[in-house]
Amino acid sequence: MAISYLSENIPLPSFKKRILNKWITDIATSHNKTVGNISYLFCTDEKILEINNQYLNHDYYTDIITFDYSECNKIAGDIVISLDTVKTNSEKFGTDYVEELYRVIIHGVLHLCGINDKTSEEQEIMTDAENKALTVLKEMLSVK
């Protein structure tokens, strides 16, 4: 298992990687999955738009793109996150930026675990899974 965190043209967000890795692994395990190689790329809106255009033929900004390379019960993938859109969304939804960032980080993992968010019913399931995962992270951060 290897979880990597990279950034392009912006500073890498500050977080405790050991705790974040354990959280990701615990959430995957709770969905009966194991963790393979997951790579996060934190970038700007312009970079995620470029990736969205190039690989998905989508001409719009988004907070996250998940490329799923999972096999059987081992999750793996590349997760691209626009920190610009995370910040915009935290302002739009009145949430804390760091909490919004963690929500998006786990959102990609939940996609790798097989949770979708295309329909309103799927969005409810995704939001519930995100909220449960954030509760687990808050407990982990408070225990240290």
Side-chain angles (χ1 to χ4, degrees), residues 20-38:
L20 202 58
N21 290 352
K22 179 169 179 10
W23 177 52
I24 290 167
T25 302
D26 288 353
I27 296 307
T29 301
S30 74
H31 287 88
N32 300 312
K33 306 288 184 184
T34 59
V35 174
N37 293 324
I38 299 174

Side-chain angles (χ1 to χ4, degrees), residues 102-116:
Y102 286 135
R103 179 178 299 279
V104 175
I105 287 170
I106 208 62
H107 182 92
V109 171
L110 293 169
H111 272 310
L112 297 177
C113 288
I115 299 175
N116 295 312

Side-chain angles (χ1 to χ4, degrees), residues 2-3 6 30 47 63 93 116 126:
I3 302 173
L6 309 164
S30 74
K47 181 64 179 179
D63 53 355
F93 300 126
N116 295 312
M126 176 63 84

Side-chain angles (χ1 to χ4, degrees), residues 89-104:
N89 286 348
S90 74
E91 293 165 358
K92 178 178 164 183
F93 300 126
T95 59
D96 178 72
Y97 170 76
V98 173
E99 182 174 326
E100 190 67 25
L101 176 59
Y102 286 135
R103 179 178 299 279
V104 175

Side-chain angles (χ1 to χ4, degrees), residues 2 13 28 51 59 62 68 90 132 135:
I51 292 168
D59 191 22
T62 186
D68 189 351
S90 74
K132 286 178 181 173
T135 298

Side-chain angles (χ1 to χ4, degrees), residues 80-92:
V80 183
I81 296 175
S82 168
L83 294 180
D84 294 335
T85 300
V86 169
K87 184 174 189 303
T88 300
N89 286 348
S90 74
E91 293 165 358
K92 178 178 164 183

